[in-house]
Amino acid sequence: MTVRERLREKISAAFYRHGLLCASYPVPIILFTSASILACCYPLLRLPLPGTGPVEFTTRVRDYTVPSHEPQGDLGERPDWYRGPPVAYIQQVLVKAAVSPWDSTLVPVDVFRSPLGRVFSLLEEIRNHVHNDGSGVRSLEALCLQVTDLLPGLRRMQTVLPEHGCLLVSPGNYWQNQRELFDSDPDLLKTVHQHEPKGLHTSATLRDLLFGVPVKHTGVSLYSRKRVVTYTITMVLGSYDARFLSSLRARLRQLHPSVNCSLREDHMVHVHFKEEIGMAELIPLVTTYIILFAYIYFSTRKIDMVKSKWGLALAAVVTVLSSLLMSVGLCTLFGLTPTLNGGEIFPYLVVVIGLENVLVLTKSVVSTPVDLEVKLRIAQGLSNESWSIMKNMATELCIILIGYFTLVPAIQEFCLFAVVGLVSDFFLQMFFFTTVLSIDIRRMELADLNRRLPAEAGMPPPKPGPLRPREAPPPPRPSPYTITLQTPAFRNLRLPKRLRVVYFLARTRLAQRFIMVGTVIWIGILAYTDPAGLRTYLAAQVSEQSPLGEGGAGGLPPHLGVASVFPGPGGDPASTLSVLPAPAEPTPLPENQSQGHHGAPREGVPHQAQAPPLVPQISWGAEDEEGWRRLSFRHWPSLFSYYNITLAKRYISILPVIPVTLHLSPREAIETRHPQDTRHPPPPSLKTNDLPADLTLYKVAALGLAAGVLLVLLLFCLYRVLCPRNYGQNGVAHGRRRRGDLPCDDYGYSPPISEISPLLLRGHSMDIECLASDGMLLASCCLAGQIRVWDAQTGDCLTVIPKHGLRRSSSSGCWEQRDGGRVFDEDEGYPLRRRTTPRPALFEDQPDLTPLIDTNFDSQPPSHLLLTPPRDGFDFGGLVERAYLEHEPPSPGLTASYPSPSPPSGPPPQRRRSLGYIQPPVPQGQGTPDWESAVWAMELRGNLIAAGRSSGKLELWDAVEGSLRCSNEDGVSGITALAFLNNRIVAARLDGSLDFFTVDINKPLGLLQYRGDNIPPSPCYSSEDVISCQLTRSVQCAHQKPITVLNTHTHTYQVSQCGGQDGAICLWDVLTGSRVSHVYGHRGDVTSLVCTTSCVISSGLDDLICIWDRSTGIKLYSIQQEVGCGASLGVISESLLVTGGQGCVSFWDLNFGDLLQTVYLGQSSDGQGVRQLVVLNNAAIVCDFGSELSLVYVPSVLEKLD
Amino acid sequence: QSTVRSGSGQTNPSRGTYIAVITNRSTTLVIRGFMLFSIGVFLALVLNLLQVQRNVTLFPPDVISSIFSSAWWVPPCCGTASAIIGLLYPCIDCRLGEPHKFKREWSSVMRCVAVFVGINHASAKVDFANNVQLSLTLAALSIGLWWTFDRSRSGFGLGVVIALLATLSTQLLVYNGVFQYTSPDFLYIRSWLPCIFFAGVITMGNIGRQLALYECKLMSEKTHQD
């Protein structure tokens, strides 16, 4: 146990040091890692590229012996596959035939009918050829490769391909090798064509197989220009007999001498075929790769909380891939050549090595404390996970070790690779990935800092005190109000299915990516399998151009470099001949002989007589020497595959061709004619020669055009179906309302921006601190303490309650609060949080007091204020107080005079039956305590204004008359938030407690019964009523920090919410005063709270708007706003949220969290942020900009309601 | 305070989830079953192709026909079986009252599927000296799969039982001549079949559990939204 723990400690310490190292020197370490990766991958260069193309090896015919199975020491250049006998030897007889001289009486069919007809006699000749020497009689039957059934799926080829016998293919197979069938065939071309597959084909077709030369070169066509027919008779031999073959060669040569033929006959080419990837193999392979990609996707998706997700994901994948490459490289270096199919085992290797460690590392590092230094974070994250990483690694190594002892070679090899891969992966994780991670984390912190800095600059420095000099106003943030939508973890979009599908497609660009990937894969497959023989073609090109190839007498392209073993074998043909036994001894065959003689003289005479273009030239060039090269490299595998013989990982030997030249007389051609042949129209001269090619071109073009038109039409229809609405109609109200259904931001549509000039309510001299409304009336209170009551419909100012404001605008209370707030902030350890303040009125706008003092109380010169040392805020409070004192005389007068003009004209004190703490002794009793306190919270219900003061006093004012109706001084701690609900008032205090008050109205009508229902918006308290306010219940320590917001909602439950500076949001039952639920969501203070029937919306200092489910208390989603914008919130309807910004308001769809519209509020409010926002009767929005109120009617909101 | 919070945070959603599950449980069940079914069919086809390569023909004349080279009812059977297994696993977890907590991530599930395909690949492509070796290797691999991705006793038990039952039923089918092994070597198939079945059961169970988990999450989110 102790050993284990000691080990654990040691490992942890080592990882810690290593993390420090990596984070300290990122660049050198990355360089070092890259260098080591490259060094380890270097041996890979020596490995042949994996490919399916065949590999060739050339030997001489003369001293050829079947290679033995055992590797015989060092055989020089001999490749390792060249062992044992080949699958088959291929002997081709290349026939070039022409009717010469060409007669104008001949029809086009004559070009190929009689030359093809000669194949039967040739076949007979070959079949019957017998070589007899001392050792015995050999015929083709004995030597050839005997084949059995064709594959079951190839029944249709049964008539054409040989079964149960020698594998001997020639064009004669089309007619079952029977001359009679050929002669009676009215249309040869049709017979040939009917076996062709329809459509595109990349591999060998039957025609290629039988003719043995590419279709183009056969000359079997009505439009052949050269009038030379070329075809081969292909013999597939099971065993090699040099003497038989050479006698056959000599015999054919004797029968059909090729005059100008100088083909080299001394080399045989062994072609080794790689394992072929067929469709059947490709499907599982593709499946494994898809699974692999899904694995990588799901793994890297978990990387979170980093600067660049993609970068880290890439780094993770690079880590795994390069560790695999390194493992292969290292294994090669130590002499282990991979025999496994790399492509097949690769996905499994990746899966075995896995991305888990990388993810665990990332997670661990990310979850370390943010305030640590990057170095330490990396080190700590590493050391936290060190033990589990080591444990996992040990387990995996053990498993692989067990796998090694299965003693199955393939599994052993896999395990070996896996072990080396695991070790190198560990190395890369430790060096490469950790370093990348450290860089990333550093970048993130830098970005974080940058994001925070402007915010900090915009905030008044906390030390200098509230009266910040005017010369340094907060720099206006020039950035327009933009909202960055944080994609929530899930978004339940209530969209039509089709739109969702289309949005998904559009968002992920799935179609494009799919097509792109498809194209890349297709091109890759094409390049890989090389069906068009591109590689061969290129090799041929290269060999033609290179001097080496020319030096080699034009033959033998240097494939694979093996060919260079035999440089320039000059005059060997003769030697080959000399080896041959005396030709034509055993087989008399007089018939053939005579024919051959017959042809020869004919050939000679007209050659000179006829005009040159009429004599088809039969020429033998270097390209004929290895005519099979021009075929698809699948030619042989597919031929063998028909008989279920695989050439994969095996080789065949191709013997030098036997050239046969046939010259036929026109007479013979006419004799062999079929009666129907003449019906073919004669070729309409040279012009038509290009016709077929052109025709296909036109066909392709027409098809392409048609397809394009069809596609366009289809897309158009699709568009009409999917997008029936006109998105362009911006101004039409109907269109905008529809827009509400569409989530905009997430899909690249920018939400519309419009401008409205609001109705401005002016009158306050200082910044507005509190705003309250009950729909009809609107009460506002500015920093100076002046309360104004407005008509919410017209914007007229109804009442002004000024005096308390003048008194109380002394900022002593605020100072206290401010200091408290700062202390709290520092306690919480969020130094950065301080820059934004939740209640601008309370904290941030403190400095704005200066303008007021300057303008209203001229006695205080600004310089005087400037000189005040920053630390003594209280002194300064006293200073201001003194300034107020000078104006004291007018203020009582004001108090006295104001109530009087109002109709009820100052309620007579005797009427009020005081029920406790009442006002009648009013003005003085009130004035004294109010002297020092500021209004921190205000609520308006009916015609009662509830005002909470910093002194802890709760006051009820008559909104119309402007008279104080009631006051309660139960608490000492300042009231930071108020909620007025029916006859209940909830007050939140600075000390975090929550007080529940009941308002009793002594009136016979018994308005008490209103609980549970909505209060009628009309004023319901007449001035005659005696109003009392009683503390019914108090909850101490509701929050641990001051409560900043309080809100009530009466729809379904009587619940009030409050959010505190501790970032908590509590739901309380108003009736009982008990807490219903409690959620934490914000990292700083909660600054604003609204609710609908289903959800609670809160915003906090962190500029995050959170939407919570009300009943369950679970966060649905959150919206990250711009810095400093999150304070004001309002709900217009169940699904429409309005937030304030810099000179604008934004509308959000609550269901989806999407920005619907941003409305700029005229010029006057530019650059000023909305601090408070109140929604009136769901029809208008009131927001404050400094000392002005803006009343905005939003037309779309009205629509939204119906 | 924190305990209160967590308590209130947990009871409410669970109630909501319960209600939602009651309301449209059947539809989600059907969707899940269908997904599992299609996964099963797909895997059956692909893995069949792997085996086809080894044993039946080296050059299948036609890809399509080789995909469906086995009897037509085999893939649907596999699909049905995988649907049943995939639904059974979370259900049993639920009944036993021990929710499966081990590695509940899609990446892990993908890894599991990849290893399963790899086991099939090994059984199809790797040449073993004899059948005993093949059986032992595959058994070790299958149990390794279970240990790596499942580690639940219920999973192991169910896997073994289903693998045995499936092997038995295939044997019965073969004896009755409904179905024939394509390979001439009869023992060869019998040696790998149980292991493959076991690994398949574990894999499908893993997928099924993950789907169920996802559904639960979705459900709770939906209730929150409502």
Side-chain angles (χ1 to χ4, degrees):
Chain A
M1 199 61 192
T2 49
V3 172
R4 190 184 160 198
E5 275 178 3
R6 217 179 304 148
L7 189 69
R8 192 170 172 164
E9 251 171 44
K10 279 209 172 137
I11 288 175
S12 161
F15 271 70
Y16 191 87
R17 278 195 297 273
H18 176 77
L20 276 183
L21 175 80
C22 283
S24 307
Y25 307 103
V27 178
I29 284 183
I30 283 194
L31 285 180
F32 162 71
T33 322
S34 318
S36 49
I37 290 174
L38 288 181
C40 289
C41 291
Y42 175 70
L44 288 180
L45 290 181
R46 269 183 275 162
L47 281 183
L49 281 177
T52 51
V55 183
E56 292 169 19
F57 177 64
T58 313
T59 53
R60 292 189 191 220
V61 173
R62 202 175 0 164
D63 44 5
Y64 172 77
T65 50
V66 177
S68 61
H69 281 282
E70 291 77 30
Q72 301 161 343
D74 185 30
L75 289 168
E77 302 289 331
R78 180 175 287 197
D80 50 358
W81 49 261
Y82 186 59
R83 275 179 213 161
V87 177
Y89 298 89
I90 308 283
Q91 175 68 66
Q92 283 190 307
V93 177
L94 181 58
V95 182
K96 288 195 175 194
V99 178
S100 66
W102 186 251
D103 205 330
S104 53
T105 58
L106 294 176
V107 291
V109 185
D110 291 331
V111 172
F112 52 85
R113 180 173 274 275
S114 55
L116 278 182
R118 295 294 286 275
V119 77
F120 299 102
S121 56
L122 273 173
L123 276 174
E124 205 171 338
E125 176 75 34
I126 291 166
R127 280 184 194 279
N128 295 337
H129 183 80
V130 173
H131 174 70
N132 200 351
D133 61 357
S135 55
V137 178
R138 265 161 293 216
S139 70
L140 189 66
E141 275 303 317
L143 292 175
C144 75
L145 186 75
Q146 301 284 340
V147 291
T148 55
D149 283 336
L150 280 168
L151 276 187
L154 297 168
R155 298 277 171 235
R156 62 193 169 83
M157 289 194 180
Q158 246 174 346
T159 54
V160 185
L161 288 173
E163 272 188 305
H164 304 289
C166 274
L167 183 52
L168 179 68
V169 288
S170 69
N173 285 67
Y174 278 122
W175 299 275
Q176 280 98 52
N177 291 330
Q178 291 168 30
R179 178 84 199 209
E180 298 77 39
L181 286 177
F182 177 78
D183 284 337
S184 59
D185 189 358
D187 193 346
L188 299 181
L189 285 178
K190 194 179 156 201
T191 314
V192 171
H193 272 297
Q194 74 187 7
H195 292 287
E196 289 304 288
K198 305 282 185 295
L200 279 173
H201 44 85
T202 54
S203 63
T205 64
L206 187 67
R207 188 166 168 173
D208 286 337
L209 287 180
L210 295 188
F211 276 91
V213 283
V215 179
K216 266 191 298 184
H217 300 282
T218 53
V220 182
S221 153
L222 291 177
Y223 311 104
S224 163
R225 214 186 296 181
K226 283 171 75 180
R227 296 188 186 121
V228 175
V229 174
T230 314
Y231 56 88
T232 62
I233 299 168
T234 307
M235 291 168 267
V236 181
L237 306 176
S239 54
Y240 180 72
D241 189 328
R243 272 169 285 188
F244 171 78
L245 287 175
S246 52
S247 79
L248 180 66
R249 178 183 298 267
R251 167 76 184 157
L252 288 177
R253 180 168 286 189
Q254 184 197 356
L255 289 178
H256 312 284
S258 307
V259 183
N260 52 356
C261 172
S262 62
L263 297 185
R264 287 168 38 212
E265 302 167 342
D266 55 341
H267 285 101
M268 60 197 291
V269 181
H270 311 279
V271 184
H272 179 251
F273 293 92
K274 294 277 174 62
E275 195 156 14
E276 195 169 347
I277 299 181
M279 207 58 179
E281 276 177 319
L282 214 59
I283 290 174
L285 197 68
V286 167
T287 312
T288 50
Y289 271 90
I290 287 173
I291 294 173
L292 173 72
F293 281 122
Y295 168 63
I296 290 178
Y297 169 73
F298 282 119
S299 301
T300 51
R301 209 176 58 157
K302 289 189 290 186
I303 296 179
D304 216 348
M305 296 275 289
V306 291
K307 169 78 178 159
S308 153
K309 232 177 140 166
W310 279 100
L312 272 193
L314 187 73
V317 174
V318 163
T319 307
V320 171
L321 290 192
S322 45
S323 69
L324 279 183
L325 285 181
M326 278 170 79
S327 79
V328 178
L330 286 175
C331 287
T332 326
L333 190 68
F334 292 113
L336 279 163
T337 43
T339 54
L340 293 174
N341 187 339
E344 270 177 15
I345 64 163
F346 176 75
Y348 304 123
L349 272 177
V350 171
V351 165
V352 163
I353 289 175
L355 291 164
E356 262 67 23
N357 271 352
V358 166
L359 301 178
V360 163
L361 268 184
T362 314
K363 211 186 236 169
S364 153
V365 167
V366 161
S367 61
T368 51
V370 189
D371 49 346
L372 280 180
E373 209 182 332
V374 176
K375 250 196 260 182
L376 298 179
R377 283 185 76 183
I378 296 282
Q380 199 170 325
L382 268 184
S383 75
N384 283 347
E385 285 302 325
S386 59
W387 182 246
S388 73
I389 286 177
M390 291 310 282
K391 222 166 57 180
N392 281 345
M393 172 120 172
T395 320
E396 278 178 344
L397 283 179
C398 277
I399 289 175
I400 289 171
L401 211 65
I402 292 170
Y404 193 78
F405 287 111
T406 51
L407 300 178
V408 180
I411 292 183
Q412 276 180 330
E413 195 183 324
F414 181 86
C415 288
L416 205 64
F417 277 118
V419 165
V420 183
L422 265 183
V423 173
S424 49
D425 186 53
F426 179 72
F427 166 75
L428 285 183
Q429 272 165 18
M430 284 301 107
F431 283 93
F432 178 70
F433 189 77
T434 313
T435 318
V436 170
L437 190 65
S438 80
I439 292 175
D440 187 87
I441 297 277
R442 188 165 291 139
R443 274 181 61 207
M444 184 174 72
E445 299 209 335
L446 276 180
D448 241 19
L449 218 59
N450 284 338
R451 211 169 70 89
R452 296 298 182 198
L453 270 180
E456 204 134 33
M459 166 202 152
K463 296 286 180 207
L467 295 186
R468 210 171 30 117
R470 233 190 192 184
E471 294 86 274
R477 285 190 277 280
S479 63
Y481 180 71
T482 53
I483 292 172
T484 48
L485 246 187
Q486 196 186 42
T487 316
F490 82 100
R491 185 94 57 80
N492 202 358
L493 294 178
R494 288 185 196 132
L495 284 174
K497 281 266 162 53
R498 50 181 191 179
L499 277 183
R500 242 189 274 182
V501 169
V502 171
Y503 282 144
F504 176 73
L505 290 180
R507 193 171 62 229
T508 54
R509 274 111 182 131
L510 212 61
Q512 276 157 294
R513 287 180 187 172
F514 189 73
I515 290 171
M516 233 164 65
V517 167
T519 316
V520 166
I521 289 176
W522 187 61
I523 289 174
I525 288 176
L526 275 191
Y528 196 63
T529 56
D530 198 12
L534 197 69
R535 216 178 283 164
T536 327
Y537 174 75
L538 282 180
Q541 289 288 317
V542 167
S543 71
E544 266 174 31
Q545 282 164 12
S546 70
L548 242 183
E550 276 171 353
L556 209 62
H559 287 277
L560 248 183
V562 185
S564 59
V565 198
F566 311 100
D572 270 353
S575 64
T576 325
L577 275 178
S578 69
V579 177
L580 296 175
E585 46 164 334
T587 48
L589 282 178
E591 187 187 309
N592 275 355
Q593 201 106 4
S594 65
Q595 238 174 6
H597 284 300
H598 188 68
R602 290 269 166 190
E603 183 244 332
V605 183
H607 199 270
Q608 290 91 23
Q610 289 289 339
L614 288 181
V615 180
Q617 290 289 324
I618 296 179
S619 58
W620 294 90
E623 77 274 5
D624 295 320
E625 203 167 283
E626 285 166 335
W628 51 269
R629 282 196 199 284
R630 286 181 295 186
L631 293 166
S632 155
F633 80 93
R634 290 243 186 80
H635 185 90
W636 304 117
S638 56
L639 175 63
F640 284 96
S641 74
Y642 290 153
Y643 299 95
N644 203 11
I645 301 169
T646 176
L647 291 187
K649 294 183 177 175
R650 296 159 90 184
Y651 76 99
I652 55 171
S653 301
I654 297 175
L655 303 170
V657 292
I658 302 172
V660 168
T661 312
L662 294 175
H663 289 281
L664 297 119
S665 65
R667 187 173 56 82
E668 194 184 345
I670 290 167
E671 275 171 7
T672 53
R673 247 186 221 169
H674 191 271
Q676 287 192 350
D677 281 353
T678 46
R679 289 185 197 168
H680 286 284
S685 82
L686 283 175
K687 247 186 263 171
T688 51
N689 285 349
D690 300 338
L691 196 66
D694 284 350
L695 213 62
T696 24
L697 201 69
Y698 292 142
K699 266 186 205 162
V700 167
L703 266 177
L705 201 68
V709 169
L710 202 71
L711 201 69
V712 167
L713 281 177
L714 194 75
L715 285 179
F716 183 71
C717 292
L718 207 68
Y719 175 77
R720 297 299 297 181
V721 169
L722 292 170
C723 314
R725 292 157 192 160
N726 193 351
Y727 291 125
Q729 288 180 0
N730 204 357
V732 182
H734 203 66
R736 183 184 291 160
R737 194 177 141 206
R738 284 263 168 82
R739 188 183 299 278
D741 304 337
L742 298 174
C744 303
D745 218 63
D746 222 6
Y747 304 107
Y749 305 121
S750 62
I753 291 176
S754 57
E755 188 168 336
I756 286 179
S757 6
L759 184 62
L760 289 178
L761 311 181
R762 291 197 171 98
H764 282 289
S765 51
M766 288 176 66
D767 283 6
I768 289 160
E769 178 179 353
C770 307
L771 204 56
S773 161
D774 67 341
M776 298 293 290
L777 294 177
L778 177 68
S780 62
C781 174
C782 71
L783 267 181
Q786 190 186 46
I787 298 174
R788 276 173 184 264
V789 181
W790 315 78
D791 185 337
Q793 308 294 325
T794 60
D796 297 333
C797 183
L798 298 177
T799 320
V800 183
I801 310 172
K803 87 167 169 107
H804 315 279
L806 284 178
R807 284 292 142 73
R808 267 168 259 113
S809 69
S810 80
S811 53
S812 61
C814 296
W815 249 121
E816 178 188 289
Q817 164 67 12
R818 178 181 188 80
D819 280 349
R822 201 167 69 216
V823 168
F824 290 141
D825 282 345
E826 277 160 7
D827 278 349
E828 283 164 22
Y830 290 132
L832 288 180
R833 288 288 162 282
R834 237 181 302 145
R835 87 276 184 252
T836 41
T837 44
R839 309 288 306 263
L842 286 181
F843 306 126
E844 191 175 45
D845 291 319
Q846 215 63 50
D848 287 344
L849 208 58
T850 343
L852 173 87
I853 293 168
D854 284 344
T855 47
N856 288 6
F857 306 96
D858 299 329
S859 57
Q860 296 294 330
S863 59
H864 193 144
L865 301 176
L866 268 172
L867 289 175
T868 7
R871 89 131 219 87
D872 34 358
F874 277 103
D875 292 356
F876 174 68
L879 201 95
V880 178
E881 220 165 279
R882 235 182 14 225
Y884 292 153
L885 276 172
E886 291 172 21
H887 292 257
E888 195 182 358
S891 36
L894 268 177
T895 356
S897 63
Y898 259 97
S900 48
S902 58
S905 89
Q910 65 272 20
R911 274 211 204 159
R912 303 207 172 133
R913 277 163 276 155
S914 58
L915 278 183
Y917 316 89
I918 331 176
Q919 41 309 97
V922 210
Q924 279 76 19
Q926 206 123 358
T928 5
D930 284 351
W931 202 266
E932 316 233 334
S933 60
V935 174
W936 277 0
M938 196 168 67
E939 267 294 312
L940 179 64
R941 206 51 89 196
N943 58 354
L944 276 183
I945 299 174
R949 299 194 171 270
S950 58
S951 61
K953 206 166 132 185
L954 177 72
E955 293 171 338
L956 288 177
W957 293 81
D958 190 308
V960 183
E961 301 165 10
S963 58
L964 183 62
R965 305 295 300 266
C966 171
S967 119
N968 185 318
E969 292 182 2
D970 275 357
V972 258
S973 187
I975 293 175
T976 53
L978 269 181
F980 200 156
L981 183 79
N982 301 342
N983 56 346
R984 280 163 192 272
I985 295 175
V986 187
R989 295 189 186 273
L990 192 60
D991 59 2
S993 65
L994 209 56
D995 289 348
F996 293 79
F997 295 95
T998 313
V999 178
D1000 292 319
I1001 301 140
N1002 288 357
K1003 200 182 177 184
L1005 286 176
L1007 289 169
L1008 286 167
Q1009 283 82 341
Y1010 273 112
R1011 82 168 46 161
D1013 279 339
N1014 284 337
I1015 287 187
S1018 59
C1020 54
Y1021 308 106
S1022 71
S1023 54
E1024 284 86 12
D1025 307 331
V1026 173
I1027 297 173
S1028 66
C1029 186
Q1030 273 183 316
L1031 178 66
T1032 54
R1033 193 196 143 105
S1034 175
V1035 180
Q1036 296 299 325
C1037 299
H1039 286 257
Q1040 287 155 336
K1041 301 278 168 64
I1043 292 167
T1044 51
V1045 214
L1046 198 62
N1047 198 354
T1048 56
H1049 199 271
T1050 52
H1051 262 295
T1052 45
Y1053 316 100
Q1054 286 213 317
V1055 176
S1056 80
Q1057 301 93 27
C1058 58
Q1061 279 189 346
D1062 47 356
I1065 297 168
C1066 299
L1067 271 76
W1068 303 84
D1069 193 319
V1070 179
L1071 290 178
T1072 64
S1074 61
R1075 182 164 62 190
V1076 177
S1077 89
H1078 188 166
V1079 290
Y1080 282 95
H1082 294 280
R1083 288 193 291 182
D1085 301 5
V1086 176
T1087 59
S1088 188
L1089 261 180
V1090 285
C1091 58
T1092 66
T1093 47
S1094 60
C1095 56
V1096 178
I1097 301 136
S1098 67
S1099 71
L1101 263 189
D1102 47 2
D1103 301 318
L1104 203 64
I1105 296 177
C1106 293
I1107 288 86
W1108 308 82
D1109 187 49
R1110 187 157 143 183
S1111 51
T1112 59
I1114 283 170
K1115 183 153 89 173
L1116 296 179
Y1117 57 89
S1118 58
I1119 302 164
Q1120 179 73 52
Q1121 292 217 84
E1122 280 282 291
V1123 174
C1125 284
S1128 48
L1129 279 179
V1131 174
I1132 294 179
S1133 69
E1134 278 298 301
S1135 59
L1136 200 59
L1137 171 75
V1138 55
T1139 62
Q1142 301 284 334
C1144 63
V1145 288
S1146 301
F1147 296 93
W1148 301 79
D1149 191 330
L1150 266 183
N1151 292 332
F1152 310 127
D1154 288 316
L1155 181 59
L1156 298 178
Q1157 201 171 14
T1158 303
V1159 178
Y1160 279 88
L1161 302 176
Q1163 302 297 321
S1164 60
S1165 51
D1166 265 355
Q1168 272 194 298
V1170 175
R1171 298 205 191 88
Q1172 303 259 327
L1173 199 145
V1174 169
V1175 177
L1176 305 173
N1177 261 1
N1178 296 339
I1181 303 162
V1182 181
C1183 32
D1184 67 333
F1185 290 101
S1187 61
E1188 288 174 352
L1189 286 174
S1190 293
L1191 192 60
V1192 188
Y1193 288 92
V1194 185
S1196 62
V1197 177
L1198 275 174
E1199 276 170 46
K1200 203 69 194 172
L1201 272 177
D1202 55 19
Chain B
Q1 204 171 9
S2 66
T3 52
V4 172
R5 181 173 60 112
S6 65
S8 66
Q10 277 177 4
T11 50
N12 281 333
S14 66
R15 196 180 58 200
T17 313
Y18 181 68
I19 291 166
V21 168
I22 289 289
T23 48
N24 51 7
R25 176 169 205 149
S26 54
T27 52
T28 53
L29 208 66
V30 166
I31 291 172
R32 208 146 43 113
F34 178 74
M35 285 174 76
L36 285 165
F37 176 81
S38 43
I39 292 172
V41 168
F42 177 72
L43 278 180
L45 289 177
V46 168
L47 299 179
N48 183 35
L49 214 57
L50 268 176
Q51 297 294 339
V52 162
Q53 277 174 34
R54 180 187 180 104
N55 291 310
V56 182
T57 48
L58 279 165
F59 291 95
D62 215 344
V63 178
I64 305 299
S65 65
S66 75
I67 285 181
F68 300 106
S69 60
S70 61
W72 62 270
W73 47 265
V74 170
C77 274
C78 291
T80 317
S82 58
I84 291 170
I85 292 164
L87 294 176
L88 202 61
Y89 259 79
C91 182
I92 281 186
D93 282 345
C94 202
R95 284 288 154 81
L96 289 183
E98 39 188 36
H100 191 244
K101 296 272 187 218
F102 186 71
K103 287 191 183 173
R104 306 300 302 266
E105 287 153 346
W106 274 112
S107 63
S108 159
V109 171
M110 282 298 149
R111 216 177 170 189
C112 180
V113 174
V115 172
F116 173 60
V117 175
I119 290 176
N120 273 280
H121 201 130
S123 78
K125 285 284 174 68
V126 176
D127 291 316
F128 289 92
N130 51 42
N131 292 326
V132 179
Q133 200 182 26
L134 173 74
S135 294
L136 283 180
T137 311
L138 284 184
L141 281 175
S142 311
I143 290 177
L145 180 86
W146 169 78
W147 176 252
T148 322
F149 299 105
D150 194 319
R151 284 196 207 178
S152 67
R153 271 173 301 156
S154 59
F156 188 80
L158 204 61
V160 168
V161 168
I162 291 176
L164 288 182
L165 281 181
T167 316
L168 201 69
S169 54
T170 23
Q171 292 296 323
L172 282 180
L173 283 179
V174 170
Y175 281 131
N176 291 333
V178 183
F179 191 58
Q180 277 191 344
Y181 290 133
T182 41
S183 167
D185 184 1
F186 183 68
L187 274 176
Y188 163 73
I189 286 186
R190 207 163 53 181
S191 57
W192 61 254
L193 212 50
C195 299
I196 295 289
F197 274 132
F198 178 74
V201 168
I202 297 291
T203 307
M204 290 318 295
N206 223 332
I207 297 175
R209 279 169 170 168
Q210 190 64 32
L211 280 178
L213 183 80
Y214 188 68
E215 196 168 280
C216 272
K217 221 186 279 171
L218 203 76
M219 204 67 90
S220 61
E221 281 166 356
K222 199 180 272 176
T223 47
H224 300 161
Q225 187 82 350
D226 297 338

